[in-house]
């Protein structure tokens, strides 16, 4: 899970880093469809995925429809 | 219609029913003909809970009963017909919850042994799920090794079964509103075993004699199954064997091989089947098979264990519950190895007509006439190899009376909650948003969970497939587990192409965009817990209310037969889902009890039961409920608009 960072020159400023596309290119098919969990390489990435992908339960700043102040 | 065709819609099964008849083999299909259900027992009007009985208390046929007559319609102990019907019903819940949960306990025990390094051959395959459970249960992660974390998780999981106070921990995963409802209504289970035992106590003679109070305990016990024992089984199995992701598989008796050693694994527990799959690939075993004249070893699954190994390895499915005897009738099965649950005692007798060996493996499930090779999880590979070897050595004994039906169908399986979430949103923003959006805009009308068994009292697979076709035709996305999933797979409903063939235009358009079938295979019976999590994710993503009972969803088990199905249905209802069962209904002999389950439950739990044996009518009960929920959410108009738009587009294209 690699974020794409592009360097761009902004007018009147030195170079700035811009976050590129945050989606996976193409549409997984066949075998590829099944191999998504392997894309998460280490524990840090797995925990991060849980906080974003499974944010309904593990996100720290997003509680979905339930708008709870304190996480359950 | 030939007689066998009245018994099944599946051509492979029809052929084998005919072969069984000509081979003189007696199967469940024959037994269902000669052994008609007892009319008093089928309605729940008979009690045999003590030695003063059995007491039969059916309502009078064809005439009104006076209040005095009703007063007198009691067991010797004074128990009313309501008490008897309710007791019988929740004893079924207890039986089902115990089966799922004892399976879960077995997994937890091995999980802990793996964590401690005491079960060679198993490993922690899915670190992410391990971390997920650590977050769920407050286990420290830090720099600790997976083993250290797993020991804590295994201990917590095991303690869930014998816990006496507090609440089953996974309840915290449910929508907040649901958790509050459970607490308010006394439906939050304290520990898994405790709720089962309490049912056995309360249904003993002379204890709980208020049918409402009994049925409420049934709900609490069922929740201990769905959000407890079953969920623990699913989650720990995922950690040990991997969280399922889409795989291509094949289903039906045609997966048996003419020239290979056929070994069928039947039952429920992946602890056994996973090892056999590995053992069968061992070069030494393959060489042994070849030395006996076979070209290799062909493993196939039966019942829920089949779903487990299909979802994780793509191992073919030989068939569902009513095909277990028929598989032997092919004459091509060297060994059927069984563990627990849904195994017919007739198997060893039928095996005698052919060369098949039936091997039991669990100390909890022995059958006279079968060979018992105890599966020792602490020495799993040895046990697995002994079983595979027994199958290979039986290959030369194969007779000439062989007929393997050619039918086999492709399917895609492996749609765990995690994978659905990923498929809908991608790695960077996995999400149920696209699903919710398409429900809100009306392309998808709602979601139906169709699950459960086969039952020879109805035409095999027919009720499942007719219901499912009707649902997807009406733009209802169907999610499935168990033997019902296999019925749909055999009918070709679990491939992406099925969307354009059978689904309504709205559902088909979404399936095509995401690349999924209109009927999704979520796994085995314990994996009904995945459906609970998927429903919770829909709630939490937002826009469809804030409880499962507000979602446009419904559940069904149209060919149910096992107590496990009753427990599953009860935890769906207790989680807020409208659930329809077919075949027969075990409280029909009692109006009050049936009304409480079918109507009054809705006011308490937001979900309720229904009974409808006709699959089309049952599908429309579900669709009616889905539409009622759409209306309550104020999204009924959106669907009318989208149908109108699609019709317009069609007209424009035609012009
Ligand atoms: S518990 Fe009551 S109703 Fe049941 S068998 Fe005994 S006497 Fe009859
Ligand atoms: S769906 Fe029913 S018959 Fe099939 S394995 Fe599960 S409990 Fe047994």
């Amino acid at each position: 899970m690699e974020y794409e960072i592009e360097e761009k020159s902004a007018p009147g400023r030195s170079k700035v880093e811009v976050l590129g596309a945050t989606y996976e290119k193409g549409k997984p098919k066949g075998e590829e469809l099944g191999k998504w969990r392997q894309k998460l390489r280490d524990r840090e990435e797995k925990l991060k995925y849980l906080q974003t992908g499974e944010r309904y339960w593990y996100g720290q700043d997003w509680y979905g429809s339930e708008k709870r102040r304190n996480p359950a | 219609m030939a007689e066998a065709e009245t018994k099944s819609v599946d051509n492979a099964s029809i052929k084998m029913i005919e072969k069984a008849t000509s081979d003189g083999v007696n199967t469940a299909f024959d037994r269902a003909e000669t052994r008609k259900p007892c009319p008093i027992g089928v309605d729940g009007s008979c009690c045999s809970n003590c030695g003063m009985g059995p007491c039969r208390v059916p309502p009078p046929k064809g005439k009104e009963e006076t209040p005095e007559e009703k007063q007198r319609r009691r067991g010797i102990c004074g128990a009313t017909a309501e008490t008897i019907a309710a007791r019988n019903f929740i004893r079924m819940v207890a039986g089902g919850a115990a089966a799922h949960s004892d399976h879960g306990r077995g997994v937890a025990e091995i999980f802990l042994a793996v964590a401690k390094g005491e079960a060679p051959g198993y490993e922690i395959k899915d670190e992410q799920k391990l971390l997920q459970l650590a977050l769920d249960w407050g286990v420290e992660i830090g720099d600790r090794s997976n083993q250290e974390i797993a020991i804590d998780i295994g201990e917590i999981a095991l303690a869930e079964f014998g816990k006496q106070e507090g609440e089953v921990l996974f309840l915290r995963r449910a929508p907040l509103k649901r958790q509050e409802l459970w607490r308010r209504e006394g439906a939050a289970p304290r520990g898994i075993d405790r709720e089962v035992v309490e049912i056995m106590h309360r249904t003993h003679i002379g204890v709980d004699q208020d049918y409402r109070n009994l049925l409420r305990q049934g709900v609490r016990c069922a929740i201990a199954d769905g959000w407890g024992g079953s969920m623990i089984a699913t989650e720990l199995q995922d950690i040990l064997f991997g969280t399922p992701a889409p795989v291509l598989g094949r289903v039906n008796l045609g997966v048996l091989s003419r020239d290979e050693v056929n070994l069928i694994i039947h039952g429920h527990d992946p602890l056994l089947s996973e090892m056999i799959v590995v053992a069968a690939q061992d070069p030494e075993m393959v060489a042994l098979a070849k030395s006996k004249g076979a070209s290799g070893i062909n493993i196939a699954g039966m019942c829920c264990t089949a779903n487990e190994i299909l979802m994780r390895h793509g191992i073919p499915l030989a068939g569902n519950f009513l095909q277990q005897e028929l598989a032997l009738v092919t004459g091509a099965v060297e060994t059927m190895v069984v563990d627990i649950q849904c195994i017919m005692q007739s198997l060893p007798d039928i095996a005698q007509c052919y060369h098949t060996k039936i091997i039991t493996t669990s100390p909890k499930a022995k059958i006279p006439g079968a060979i018992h090779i105890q599966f020792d999880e602490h020495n799993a590979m040895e046990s697995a190899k002994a079983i595979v070897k027994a199958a290979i050595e039986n290959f030369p004994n194969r007779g000439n009376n062989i007929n393997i039906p050619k039918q086999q169908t492709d399917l895609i399986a492996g749609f765990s909650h995690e994978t659905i979430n990923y498929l809908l949103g991608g790695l960077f923003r996995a999400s149920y948003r696209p699903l919710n959006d398409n429900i809100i805009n009306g392309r998808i009308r709602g979601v139906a969970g169709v699950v459960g068994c086969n039952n020879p009292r109805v035409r095999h697979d027919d009720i499942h497939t007719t219901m499912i076709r009707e649902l997807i035709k009406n733009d209802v996305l169907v999610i499935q587990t168990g033997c019902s999933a296999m019925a749909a797979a055999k009918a070709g409903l679990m491939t992406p192409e099925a969307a354009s063939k059978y689904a309504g235009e709205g559902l088909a358009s979404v399936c095509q965009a995401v690349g999924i079938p209109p009927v999704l295979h979520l796994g085995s019976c314990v994996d009904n817990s995945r459906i609970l999590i998927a429903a919770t994710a829909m709630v939490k993503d937002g826009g469809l209310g804030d409880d499962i009972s507000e979602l446009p969803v419904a559940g069904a088990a149209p060919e149910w037969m096992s107590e496990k199905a009753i427990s599953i249905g009860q935890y769906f209802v207790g989680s807020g889902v409208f659930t329809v069962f077919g075949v027969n209904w075990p409280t029909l002999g009692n109006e009050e009890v049936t009304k409480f389950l079918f109507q009054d439950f809705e006011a308490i739990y937001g979900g309720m039961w229904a009974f409808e044996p006709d699959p089309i009518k049952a599908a429309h009960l579900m669709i009616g409920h889905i539409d009622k929920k759409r209306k309550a959410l104020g999204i009924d108009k959106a669907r009318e608009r989208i149908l109108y738009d699609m019709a317009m587009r069609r007209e424009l294209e035609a012009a």
Side-chain angles (χ1 to χ4, degrees):
Chain A
M1 202 159 75
E2 214 72 79
Y3 283 104
E4 281 177 27
I5 308 283
E6 285 173 58
E7 272 213 344
K8 287 202 170 158
S9 39
R13 284 210 278 158
S14 54
K15 298 216 163 175
V16 288
E17 288 193 338
V18 177
L19 183 62
T22 53
Y23 57 85
E24 293 180 273
K25 294 198 177 69
K27 195 166 149 187
K29 274 210 183 105
E31 280 281 282
E32 287 306 303
L33 194 65
K35 290 198 184 136
W36 67 274
R37 270 170 110 76
Q38 291 82 337
K39 292 179 192 164
L40 302 165
R41 291 167 303 195
D42 52 31
R43 188 179 276 189
E44 204 186 316
E45 283 196 2
K46 288 172 189 172
L47 282 169
K48 200 165 159 205
Y49 179 86
L50 286 172
Q51 279 176 11
T52 55
E54 300 286 348
R55 63 195 167 284
Y56 309 133
W57 292 275
Y58 313 106
Q60 278 159 3
D61 53 358
W62 196 94
Y63 303 114
S65 65
E66 299 180 314
K67 295 194 185 61
R68 48 198 159 146
R69 271 187 218 106
N70 304 307
Chain B
M1 199 188 283
E3 210 206 318
E5 286 173 33
T6 63
K7 295 179 174 165
S8 177
V9 278
D10 166 45
N11 283 329
S13 300
I14 292 170
K15 279 212 184 83
M16 288 306 104
I17 293 171
E18 284 166 350
K19 181 169 187 289
T21 309
S22 72
D23 290 358
V25 166
N26 183 271
T27 67
F29 294 98
D30 306 307
R31 296 190 292 273
E33 289 285 310
T34 47
R35 198 156 303 289
K36 293 294 173 206
C38 161
I40 297 167
V42 77
D43 281 352
S45 302
C46 174
C47 177
S48 59
N49 290 6
C50 90
M52 291 188 278
C55 300
R56 304 196 280 178
V57 292
K61 276 223 168 79
K63 72 171 183 89
E64 279 287 308
E65 187 177 33
T66 65
E68 293 73 37
E69 283 169 335
K70 187 158 196 302
Q71 272 288 330
R72 284 198 299 272
R73 190 151 56 84
R74 294 167 181 264
I76 312 248
C77 66
T80 61
E82 289 73 56
T83 299
I84 289 174
R87 281 199 304 220
N88 288 339
F89 184 73
I90 68 168
R91 277 202 171 195
M92 293 182 88
V93 172
H100 285 144
S101 300
D102 206 36
H103 166 173
R105 182 201 329 271
V107 179
E109 281 171 345
I110 292 306
F111 182 88
L112 191 55
V114 175
K116 290 180 176 166
E118 294 164 2
Y122 298 106
E123 56 180 331
I124 289 167
K125 281 219 180 104
D126 196 330
E127 185 193 28
Q128 187 176 340
K129 207 28 131 24
L130 181 80
L131 299 173
Q132 194 174 337
L133 256 69
L135 293 176
D136 276 330
W137 290 346
V139 170
E140 191 198 327
I141 296 176
D143 291 329
R144 299 172 82 207
S145 70
N146 282 350
Q147 259 57 36
E148 287 170 305
I149 297 173
I151 290 176
D152 285 359
I153 287 180
E155 280 168 354
I156 295 175
L158 263 181
E160 285 291 278
F161 294 90
K163 213 159 72 176
Q164 304 302 329
E165 287 171 353
E167 279 175 13
V168 164
L169 288 171
F170 275 142
L171 297 195
R172 287 192 221 141
R173 284 182 164 184
L176 293 183
K177 210 168 158 187
R178 181 69 13 195
Q179 295 180 37
E180 281 159 19
L181 183 151
W182 285 333
R183 283 174 202 131
R184 190 179 67 231
E185 298 297 341
R190 296 152 292 185
I192 299 163
D193 294 351
R194 178 167 186 171
E195 306 308 346
V196 176
V197 170
E198 195 168 307
I199 284 191
M200 298 315 283
H201 174 201
R202 284 165 69 167
T203 55
H204 183 276
I205 180 208
V207 188
D208 197 354
Q209 290 162 100
D210 175 341
Y211 72 90
R212 298 179 200 87
N213 206 37
L214 285 161
L215 295 174
R216 281 172 173 269
Q217 174 60 14
V219 174
R220 177 155 62 173
C221 177
I223 291 170
D225 172 357
W227 295 87
S230 283
M231 203 170 277
I232 288 174
T234 295
E235 297 299 70
L236 298 187
Q237 283 169 188
D238 278 357
I239 297 175
L240 288 179
F241 309 122
T243 300
V247 284
L248 186 63
R250 289 174 295 131
V251 61
N252 215 342
L253 294 169
V255 306
L256 295 174
S257 166
R258 181 99 211 167
D259 46 15
E260 287 173 297
V261 173
N262 288 312
L263 196 169
I264 293 186
I265 315 174
H266 172 24
H268 282 74
D269 196 339
L271 297 171
L272 164 73
S273 49
E274 286 277 334
M275 274 303 150
I276 291 186
V277 169
V278 178
Q281 287 159 357
D282 187 304
E284 202 187 310
M285 289 291 145
V286 178
L288 183 63
K290 291 197 169 147
S291 76
K292 301 282 175 192
S295 66
I297 304 166
N298 180 39
I299 307 276
M302 180 71 66
C303 275
C304 276
T305 225
N307 289 325
E308 301 278 5
I309 46 177
L310 162 76
M311 302 256 288
R312 299 199 177 89
H313 303 283
I315 302 283
L317 305 167
N320 50 10
F321 176 67
L322 279 180
Q323 290 180 290
Q324 57 184 292
E325 295 174 311
L326 303 180
L328 306 190
V329 174
T330 62
V333 177
E334 273 54 59
T335 292
M336 184 179 272
V337 53
V338 303
D339 50 39
I340 44 165
Q341 300 172 17
C342 300
I343 297 148
M344 291 191 186
Q345 190 174 349
S346 51
L347 293 175
D349 295 327
I350 296 181
Q352 274 189 358
C353 303
Y354 306 94
H355 72 303
T356 311
K357 281 187 183 149
I358 306 293
I359 300 179
T360 53
T361 53
S362 165
K364 293 176 196 166
K366 295 188 177 179
I367 304 178
I371 302 163
H372 189 75
I373 302 183
Q374 189 124 331
F375 185 69
D376 173 9
E377 288 94 347
H378 298 275
N379 211 345
M381 193 40 92
E382 292 294 299
S383 310
K385 280 189 178 168
I387 291 164
V388 175
K389 209 165 158 210
I392 296 171
E393 277 166 358
N394 199 22
F395 183 77
N397 300 329
R398 226 188 240 192
N400 295 324
N401 181 12
I402 294 175
N403 183 353
I404 302 174
K406 61 176 187 319
Q407 283 80 9
Q408 53 175 307
T409 315
D410 285 345
L411 79 149
I412 301 203
F415 292 95
S416 53
H417 146 74
E418 290 78 4
T419 290
I420 296 174
N421 191 31
Y422 162 76
L423 286 178
L424 289 171
L427 212 49
F428 286 100
R429 196 66 177 167
S431 177
Y432 271 60
R433 197 68 239 152
L435 175 64
N436 284 18
D437 280 344
N438 280 296
I439 291 175
I440 292 167
N441 73 26
R443 279 177 194 277
I444 297 178
R445 192 167 187 163
V447 181
V450 182
V451 307
C453 327
N454 292 141
N455 188 323
R457 300 286 178 206
V458 295
R459 195 174 176 209
H460 171 228
D461 286 353
D462 188 23
I463 318 295
H464 287 303
T465 50
T466 308
M467 170 185 274
I468 294 165
R469 284 205 186 92
E470 188 65 16
L471 288 167
I472 59 176
K473 189 174 99 190
N474 283 283
D475 293 318
V476 175
L477 177 71
V478 173
I479 53 182
Q480 290 211 270
T481 61
C483 290
S484 181
M486 293 188 224
K490 282 184 272 176
L493 298 170
M494 288 189 164
T495 59
E497 299 75 52
S500 56
K501 260 199 199 153
Y502 304 106
E505 217 174 318
L507 174 62
S509 68
V510 178
C511 290
Q512 280 153 1
V514 186
I516 54 170
V519 183
L520 301 180
H521 193 321
L522 269 72
S524 64
C525 295
V526 291
D527 290 339
N528 282 307
S529 60
R530 298 190 199 277
I531 298 183
L532 298 175
I533 295 298
T536 304
M538 285 168 71
V539 170
K540 287 179 182 275
D541 195 79
L544 294 173
D546 45 16
D547 182 31
I548 296 174
S549 63
E550 292 173 51
L551 295 172
V553 302
E559 295 183 26
W560 78 277
M561 62 87 198
S562 80
E563 292 172 327
K564 290 183 289 170
I566 291 285
S567 179
I568 292 165
Q570 187 61 94
Y571 69 66
F572 272 107
V573 169
S575 302
V577 181
F578 170 66
T579 304
V580 192
F581 269 38
V583 190
N584 54 41
W585 182 254
T587 69
L588 278 188
N590 194 276
E591 235 173 75
E592 284 89 337
V593 170
T594 306
K595 182 179 161 286
F596 197 66
L597 295 169
F598 287 19
Q599 290 173 25
D600 303 352
F601 260 21
E602 188 175 20
I604 307 170
Y605 303 108
M608 67 294 199
W609 288 96
F611 166 60
E612 175 50 69
D614 179 312
I616 301 279
K617 283 190 196 154
H620 282 280
L621 284 180
M622 296 162 85
I623 293 167
H625 180 82
I626 284 170
D627 286 350
K628 175 172 112 182
K629 294 295 168 184
R630 294 189 64 87
K631 191 152 192 232
L633 288 166
I635 56 173
D636 48 334
K637 293 282 174 293
R639 178 167 162 80
E640 284 164 25
R641 202 170 51 238
I642 214 136
L643 292 177
Y644 178 74
D645 285 353
M646 284 193 289
M648 281 280 274
R649 192 162 0 101
R650 259 198 317 272
E651 269 173 38
L652 287 175
E653 276 164 13

